[in-house]
Amino acid sequence: MFTGIVREVGRVVSFDGHRLVVDGATQAATGDSVAVDGVCLTAVDGSQLAFDVVDETLARTTLGTLKAGDRVNLEPALRAGDPLGGHFVQGHVDGVGRVRSLEPDGDGARLLLDVPAEILRYCVEKGSLAVDGVSLTIAALDERGVGIALVPHTLLETTLSGLQAGDAVNLEADVLAKYVERLAQR
């Protein structure tokens, strides 16, 4: 379980399509979970941040496009007693969205995302959406996606400031919305 509060931005050291190695201060023992751009991965080498990425993950996320030098958002899994500063994030990416635009807005920025319909149905104004592992609040909705107001701190402490129109991003809808839908169907 994660909160979507990114702890640091790391750099990809190498990725051969299955073994991902990331440079960062985040510590992880073998078997620990770490969210990398919002994707829950299991550390396979306690001496470095290394993860095995399976085909299922590559098919459903943006991780397959990573290359040496790319920046990634990192968040270690919650430990008992850690504060819940964002929202409940599982690291189980629901799908990939596309950046429509990222424009300055005062000291922050306004991010517009095209969101697949199967994820957009879980989005509500003032609800939560994880974008590349970052817990964000939806400020606006339209038939194609969402608008998000990014505060200066988020722009400084995550990779979101580097997004450009057309970029793919990992999306995870609020798990509570998925449970409500499932229960309402009964």
Side-chain angles (χ1 to χ4, degrees):
M1 182 67 70
F2 306 94
T3 65
I5 303 299
V6 170
R7 297 296 175 213
E8 75 167 308
V9 173
R11 287 216 180 260
V12 174
V13 173
S14 63
F15 186 47
D16 65 5
H18 291 287
R19 176 64 58 100
L20 173 63
V21 179
V22 178
D23 182 32
T26 296
Q27 298 293 309
T30 300
D32 284 354
S33 294
V34 177
V36 178
D37 273 355
V39 181
C40 179
L41 298 176
T42 302
V44 295
D45 183 343
S47 68
Q48 60 182 350
L49 278 178
F51 312 91
D52 288 335
V53 183
V54 297
D55 291 341
E56 172 74 7
T57 302
L58 294 171
R60 292 182 178 263
T61 72
T62 63
L63 293 188
T65 64
L66 292 176
K67 58 190 177 315
D70 285 349
R71 299 174 45 190
V72 291
N73 295 316
L74 299 174
E75 181 187 357
L78 276 175
R79 306 246 186 248
D82 283 351
L84 297 174
H87 73 280
F88 291 116
V89 177
Q90 295 180 298
H92 304 162
V93 170
D94 292 307
V96 174
R98 292 263 171 213
V99 174
R100 198 181 310 165
S101 65
L102 178 65
E103 301 293 333
D105 186 14
D107 290 340
R110 183 74 160 196
L111 175 63
L112 297 179
L113 296 173
D114 289 332
V115 176
E118 64 271 13
I119 300 170
L120 188 58
R121 75 177 194 235
Y122 299 118
C123 296
V124 296
E125 193 170 310
K126 301 304 177 201
S128 298
L129 180 67
V131 177
D132 278 350
V134 182
S135 175
L136 299 170
T137 302
I138 298 166
L141 289 166
D142 64 27
E143 68 285 345
R144 291 176 37 207
V146 299
I148 297 169
L150 298 176
V151 298
H153 180 80
T154 300
L155 293 168
L156 286 172
E157 300 297 328
T158 72
T159 61
L160 299 184
S161 63
L163 293 175
Q164 297 179 359
D167 284 350
V169 292
N170 293 317
L171 300 175
E172 181 182 335
D174 189 342
V175 69
L176 298 177
K178 292 185 257 185
Y179 280 117
V180 167
E181 178 185 64
R182 178 77 172 148
L183 291 170
Q185 289 174 346
R186 293 185 176 179

